[in-house]
Amino acid sequence: MIYLKSEILRIKEEALKNLRELESTEALQELKVKILGKKGSLTAMLRQMGSLSPEERPIMGQVVNEVRTRLEQAWEERSAELDAMALQRRLATERIDITLPGTRISRGHIHPLTQVIEEIEDIFLGMGFQIAEGPEIESDYYNFEALNLPKEHPAREMQDSFYITEEILLRTQTSPVQVRTMEKLHPQLPVKIIAPGKVYRNDDDATHSPMFHQVEGLVVDQGIRMSDLKGILLNFSREMFGESREIRLRPSFFPFTEPSAEVDVSCMLCGGSGCRLCKGTGWIEILGSGMVHPKVLEMGGYNPQAVTGFAFGMGVERIAILKYGIEDMRLLFDNDLRFLQQF
Ligand code: 2U9
């Protein structure tokens, strides 16, 4: 019995020592099996109690129970310590520095050309115009014939066109939209529309792109005069390029307007005194315009004896270039973020 007792106490002391040294919950579990498991050392001691006398048995039973209670308590304590240590380790390695700057979420914005189109639309909406749209693939009739450009008319060659068949082409201007609108509305008055959109011409250099954008306008009513045209375009120029802008009209020629005029705005860079941008003239051409040709009114379904109208057209890329001082029109189509992010 003496041997048994000292052996049990030795197992206890060794277990407590191991317990203090082990570093993980897995090692803790292993140790528990080694001592209290089926083949554990303390379990083996309990089996040997069969060889003791009836008087010795309860005394040894008490010793074993005390040892078991002591070990279980020590286990719980060490287990709690190990859990706390593991938590400390996680807190140290997974620490988040909430003072670090965050990653910026970059936000897109509207393309500068679309911004300019929307600005032009806003200005004309403010003057009571409506916005009209139409197909980019057009018939020869709407793109040319109805605009007083019959077949073999030399002005057709002014713009090299992209033909799909003999009769179908990519529109070279947004004018067919106005023709279609007149056809649809006549004999209602007034017609007061702008037609923004993409147009296509066989051109490609620093100032011409095979696809570009136009905004054209058309007003038809009784008693429309050239002074109405001038007033609308002066107001547009001032809203677009600044309150102090002036405009001037120079005689020109377009097959669909008579008389026709090119419109210059006083230079937005020098104010009119002459500089590099306006090549010393003080004026910059921004659009073409004129009184709608009687034949064009007639083909749109209106009586040119009873109504008159004015029309104008501008290239949006040109307006954008002038407004923002862009050097090469192709920058507007390259989609280089270093360029686009400036707007
Ligand atoms: C209808 C009647 C008349 C539209 C007009 C211009 C003058 C013009 C150019 C400006 C620069 C084209 O983009 S550009 O190359 N446009 O000069 N456009 S009058 O006249 C019309 C349109 C439709 C029914």
Side-chain angles (χ1 to χ4, degrees):
M1 171 169 136
I2 303 286
Y3 162 75
L4 209 54
K5 186 174 176 186
S6 67
E7 189 56 20
I8 289 170
L9 293 176
R10 193 192 59 76
I11 290 172
K12 180 183 106 175
E13 288 312 318
E14 193 182 296
L16 289 175
K17 179 171 169 282
N18 288 342
L19 213 52
R20 276 192 298 276
E21 285 165 1
L22 56 81
E23 293 284 348
S24 69
T25 16
E26 291 78 36
L28 189 79
Q29 193 54 35
E30 261 172 48
L31 184 65
K32 202 169 182 176
V33 173
K34 251 167 80 183
I35 293 166
L36 290 174
K38 260 189 195 158
K39 295 176 184 167
S41 47
L42 201 63
T43 317
M45 288 301 118
L46 278 169
R47 277 201 200 103
Q48 289 187 39
M49 278 176 58
S51 62
L52 295 177
S53 68
E55 299 82 50
E56 288 169 330
R57 239 176 261 161
I59 301 166
M60 274 314 292
Q62 203 184 346
V63 172
V64 170
N65 276 338
E66 271 171 25
V67 167
R68 198 208 296 266
T69 313
R70 173 75 189 93
L71 282 182
E72 269 163 7
Q73 183 200 349
W75 247 293
E76 301 251 308
E77 280 169 16
R78 187 65 184 146
S79 176
E81 263 172 41
L82 287 175
D83 285 350
M85 277 160 60
L87 180 64
Q88 275 322 113
R89 269 200 301 275
R90 274 192 65 189
L91 286 175
T93 53
E94 296 175 16
R95 171 162 291 156
I96 295 166
D97 183 352
I98 57 163
T99 66
L100 281 174
T103 324
R104 247 179 201 287
I105 296 169
S106 66
R107 252 235 203 155
H109 65 74
I110 294 174
H111 191 279
L113 267 181
T114 311
Q115 287 183 42
V116 171
I117 292 171
E118 287 179 355
E119 196 175 336
I120 297 170
E121 287 175 349
D122 279 350
I123 295 171
F124 282 102
L125 285 170
M127 294 190 280
F129 283 72
Q130 292 192 315
I131 296 171
E133 284 180 316
E136 289 173 25
I137 299 171
E138 263 298 359
S139 67
D140 185 271
Y141 174 79
Y142 285 111
N143 195 78
F144 289 129
E145 295 270 349
L147 289 156
N148 197 29
L149 278 131
K151 288 212 164 69
E152 316 307 331
H153 191 290
R156 281 198 184 204
E157 286 165 42
M158 272 163 48
Q159 329 148 354
D160 240 331
S161 318
F162 289 116
Y163 275 90
I164 293 164
T165 69
E166 287 253 322
E167 288 300 319
I168 295 168
L169 73 159
L170 298 182
R171 68 182 182 193
T172 58
Q173 52 209 24
T174 58
S175 318
V177 178
Q178 285 110 291
V179 177
R180 287 173 179 276
T181 307
M182 283 196 290
E183 268 188 359
K184 203 168 65 190
L185 285 184
H186 81 91
Q188 261 170 261
L189 289 170
V191 179
K192 197 171 178 188
I193 54 163
I194 54 163
K198 292 183 170 68
V199 298
Y200 303 85
R201 292 181 194 178
N202 199 355
D203 273 329
D204 199 5
D205 59 46
T207 52
H208 298 89
S209 155
M211 183 281 294
F212 66 103
H213 298 78
Q214 281 189 338
V215 176
E216 288 196 349
L218 174 70
V219 175
V220 180
D221 205 352
Q222 283 176 341
I224 292 292
R225 303 182 299 180
M226 199 123 186
S227 54
D228 299 312
L229 165 70
K230 200 172 176 189
I232 291 283
L233 294 181
L234 178 61
N235 192 62
F236 164 74
S237 302
R238 288 184 174 168
E239 288 207 43
M240 195 71 199
F241 294 109
E243 265 308 293
S244 52
R245 297 281 78 77
E246 296 294 341
I247 60 167
R248 73 174 185 188
L249 271 57
R250 277 180 295 106
S252 185
F253 173 82
F254 304 109
F256 28 85
T257 47
E258 183 59 36
S260 303
E262 256 150 353
V263 181
D264 297 342
V265 63
S266 54
C267 183
M268 47 293 264
L269 193 63
C270 65
S273 55
C275 69
R276 188 181 53 92
L277 183 65
C278 59
K279 299 191 181 80
T281 65
W283 296 96
I284 290 179
E285 185 188 325
I286 56 163
L287 48 82
S289 67
M291 299 306 290
V292 181
H293 196 288
K295 277 194 186 166
V296 175
L297 285 174
E298 204 166 7
M299 282 186 278
Y302 287 93
N303 176 3
Q305 308 297 325
V307 301
T308 48
F310 69 75
F312 56 87
M314 66 187 99
V316 177
E317 283 75 5
R318 181 162 170 78
I319 302 288
I321 282 167
L322 292 172
K323 196 172 163 81
Y324 295 114
I326 298 163
E327 307 248 316
D328 187 326
M329 191 177 86
R330 288 170 289 200
L331 286 166
L332 288 167
F333 300 113
D334 285 345
N335 284 336
D336 186 330
L337 285 178
R338 291 168 301 178
F339 170 77
L340 293 178
Q341 277 163 351
Q342 297 176 72
F343 299 89

